[in-house]
Amino acid sequence: MMRRMRDLNGSHLLFAIPVLVVLAGGYFLLSDPEPQRKKGGEKSFWASVAEVFWDPGAQEKKNRVKYRADSSEQTGSDTALLEGSGEKRAISGLNEDGNRSPAAWSGENATSGGKARTICSSVELPGDGPSEAIADKDWEKAEQEFAEAKKGLQAWLDKNRIAFSIEAYTAMQKRLEGVKLQKASAENEPDLTWRGIATYGTAGDGTSYVRAGSGFLKLFSSQPSRAKFELARVVAQSWAPCELAKGAGNPWQPWLTCLNVKEGNACETGSYSEAGWAVSTALAAQVAPPGCTIPAFRAAEQAQCVEKMPTLWKEASL
Amino acid sequence: MKRILGLVILSAVFGVSGCMSMQNQGAISALEDLAGGRPYVEAYVEYRAPSEHWAAASALMVHVVAKDEALAEVTFTPDWFTPMVAPAEFSNRSPASAGSKLSSEVARDGLIRLAAAMQEDDASFKGCLYPVRARLIRDDGAILEKNGCRSDHGWTKTASALVSDWVQTKR
């Protein structure tokens, strides 16, 4: 044997290479620290080798999956703690009962049914003026949708009741019940009869109304989803911060802070409110999704604010 | 006797008609007094929109010029007769920047009423979601401007009625 070894030269070493490869492969196969998951079949040895040599990001992907699993476990433990303390919390009202998931809000690559979502823009159809009466069937349709919008907002309020104080909840419920639907006419706001918008307002006697003209009602025929969203948004303006400030304080502040909506002279005499649009838009999009992405919620950061909407008050109060 | 009776009746008729015209003249004079005796010949009425982030309705600006010409010039921005969603529905309508059927005299009367409403209205608002702004320009260059909130009373209702009339004259 010693003689044979003495006779060995470099070319004989070429035969050693495949032997070494087999030995190395056997080592990896037998000593894999992470057992392969059997979801959809166990990954083969050769697939693992291919992964290492041809897909360097594979390990990173595995690490990300592991992180998400850990996060869900953490969420589960938070829920357990809350349940133990007698409280129940909607972690994310958006993900229950088929409501819009956060993925549908954010990013240009967000998909819904396999198609890229468009970004919402302004939409308005001209009206017919004060001399043209609104058809009965069109108005009946508007009243039905108005009732549905109120029902949807009430359901949202009930589901997220824990996020509001009793005073705020009661005030919001009362304001929602008190909103009435009116036709725009020559007697109230003649220009609305030519416009394609619905507006929220408060009459001199303190009653709240949503006023719409023929242009707005046309939207129910041409873009039903968008029309429902716009109507829900106008109704939700009864919960705008400056409306609620008249009796129940401003429960939206933590969320507005998250969304970075700042109003220096909020609700002072002579002030204008963007926060009212922020709140009503987010609420309406949860109750009656418009079928497109609202520009304000396009960025992932703002989309997260919408997802966490009901929970932000709880966090602020802790 | 009949002549005297006829003269009395004729005098009464002239007296009543004179009284009526004096009353109307008094109303217009009062409004003109508010304007310093000079007419408003140009106006901007703007329905401002919230930030485009919310994909709400666009802003609407109405510009009226009622100077010496017989017909006033009325311009809507954006073009009110150009539909934003369904162009096919309105293909036979004239563009909003074309001439109107609004006489300068009628336009000026409307601007005087709006000016009076703006000066008399001191209603306040808080956290307005639908801002309205009006700017009136007198023939001597003086400007009357006011910011308000859309409503069904006060000067914003007067503005709403005028805007509706102006739209009508374009159709």
Side-chain angles (χ1 to χ4, degrees):
Chain A
M1 182 182 169
M2 294 300 290
R3 193 180 303 168
R4 286 179 186 270
M5 288 182 68
R6 189 180 58 195
D7 292 335
L8 284 175
N9 55 26
S11 63
H12 290 87
L13 290 177
L14 291 176
F15 291 102
I17 292 174
V19 173
L20 289 172
V21 169
V22 171
L23 288 173
Y27 170 77
F28 282 116
L29 183 63
L30 294 174
S31 65
D32 188 350
E34 224 175 335
Q36 294 295 329
R37 296 187 183 182
K38 287 205 175 181
K39 192 174 179 181
E42 199 167 83
K43 200 178 290 186
S44 69
F45 163 70
W46 294 111
S48 299
V49 171
E51 215 176 61
V52 172
F53 287 99
W54 295 326
D55 188 3
Q59 190 59 38
E60 186 184 342
K61 288 178 193 172
K62 276 197 233 178
N63 291 340
R64 284 210 297 273
V65 171
K66 185 174 187 302
Y67 174 75
R68 281 181 192 161
D70 290 342
S71 297
S72 65
E73 285 168 5
Q74 286 175 0
T75 302
S77 64
D78 284 344
T79 305
L81 279 173
L82 289 170
E83 286 176 351
S85 66
E87 296 180 66
K88 288 184 183 176
R89 184 173 83 179
I91 299 299
S92 172
L94 283 176
N95 292 325
E96 297 174 10
D97 299 334
N99 283 348
R100 186 69 60 182
S101 69
W105 287 99
S106 63
E108 296 176 2
N109 296 326
T111 57
S112 175
K115 291 183 180 178
R117 288 176 62 82
T118 55
I119 305 300
C120 298
S121 59
S122 298
V123 62
E124 184 174 347
L125 296 174
D128 302 320
S131 57
E132 292 287 330
I134 294 174
D136 289 342
K137 64 177 178 59
D138 292 338
W139 191 247
E140 281 171 17
K141 171 73 174 171
E143 286 181 326
Q144 285 169 7
E145 296 296 345
F146 180 71
E148 285 299 314
K150 289 176 76 170
K151 202 183 293 183
L153 287 166
Q154 182 64 52
W156 184 94
L157 182 63
D158 290 336
K159 189 172 19 176
N160 298 290
R161 184 173 189 158
I162 196 70
F164 301 95
S165 67
I166 293 180
E167 292 78 17
Y169 174 85
T170 306
M172 292 166 76
Q173 189 174 40
K174 189 177 175 184
R175 293 190 70 83
L176 185 63
E177 283 173 3
V179 181
K180 306 295 177 199
L181 182 66
Q182 292 181 357
K183 292 181 190 177
S185 69
E187 285 69 42
N188 47 44
E189 290 182 80
D191 78 290
L192 270 188
T193 64
W194 297 107
R195 299 290 305 267
I197 60 175
T199 62
Y200 171 84
T202 306
D205 60 0
T207 55
S208 305
Y209 57 80
V210 167
R211 204 167 270 156
S214 55
F216 181 76
L217 300 188
K218 291 176 186 174
L219 203 58
F220 284 102
S221 302
S222 64
Q223 296 184 50
S225 296
R226 187 61 188 265
K228 289 176 185 182
F229 164 78
E230 294 291 345
L231 186 57
R233 171 154 67 175
V234 175
V235 176
Q237 286 175 353
S238 61
W239 291 348
C242 292
E243 293 295 311
L244 292 181
K246 295 172 186 175
N250 179 12
W252 306 111
Q253 193 52 54
W255 181 74
L256 291 171
T257 302
C258 179
L259 207 58
N260 203 27
V261 174
K262 295 171 186 170
E263 292 192 334
N265 59 344
C267 306
E268 291 177 1
T269 301
S271 63
Y272 299 97
S273 176
E274 187 181 352
W277 284 97
V279 167
S280 59
T281 302
L283 286 170
Q286 295 182 43
V287 168
C292 53
T293 302
I294 302 293
F297 307 138
R298 188 176 172 181
E301 188 180 340
Q302 278 68 41
Q304 287 294 321
C305 291
V306 176
E307 180 192 1
K308 290 159 59 178
M309 197 170 179
T311 67
L312 283 171
W313 300 282
K314 199 66 188 174
E315 290 170 6
S317 65
L318 290 175
Chain B
M1 188 63 182
K2 284 183 182 176
R3 281 184 189 174
I4 294 170
L5 190 61
L7 277 173
V8 168
I9 292 171
L10 212 56
S11 315
V13 167
F14 280 117
V16 168
S17 61
C19 183
M20 295 290 285
S21 62
M22 279 177 66
Q23 282 184 347
N24 287 341
Q25 198 61 34
I28 294 173
S29 296
L31 291 173
E32 286 177 342
D33 285 344
L34 277 174
R38 308 200 66 90
Y40 287 96
V41 296
E42 191 174 359
Y44 294 86
V45 178
E46 182 185 14
Y47 291 92
R48 293 160 56 192
S51 168
E52 60 185 8
H53 297 309
W54 313 117
S58 301
L60 177 68
M61 168 80 81
V62 188
H63 180 210
V64 173
V65 180
K67 292 180 177 173
D68 298 329
E69 294 78 12
L71 286 179
E73 190 179 310
V74 181
T75 308
F76 291 90
T77 308
D79 184 348
W80 189 245
F81 294 99
T82 301
M84 297 180 191
V85 176
E89 293 181 64
F90 304 96
S91 58
N92 58 346
R93 289 189 180 176
S94 58
S97 57
S100 69
K101 293 170 279 190
L102 178 68
S103 74
S104 286
E105 184 178 352
V106 171
R108 286 195 290 266
D109 285 345
L111 295 183
I112 284 184
R113 282 186 279 115
L114 179 57
M118 288 164 66
Q119 289 171 327
E120 290 169 4
D121 185 1
D122 59 357
S124 63
F125 54 88
K126 297 179 182 180
C128 175
L129 297 170
Y130 301 93
V132 182
R133 182 169 66 178
R135 169 184 279 201
L136 306 184
I137 304 167
R138 259 182 1 199
D139 66 345
D140 61 354
I143 293 175
L144 174 65
E145 185 168 323
K146 187 153 186 162
N147 290 294
C149 193
R150 178 184 274 282
S151 73
D152 56 9
H153 52 274
W155 76 268
T156 55
K157 184 184 174 183
T158 305
S160 173
L162 277 177
V163 169
S164 177
D165 291 342
W166 296 336
V167 172
Q168 186 71 56
T169 62
K170 300 287 284 184
R171 298 169 69 88

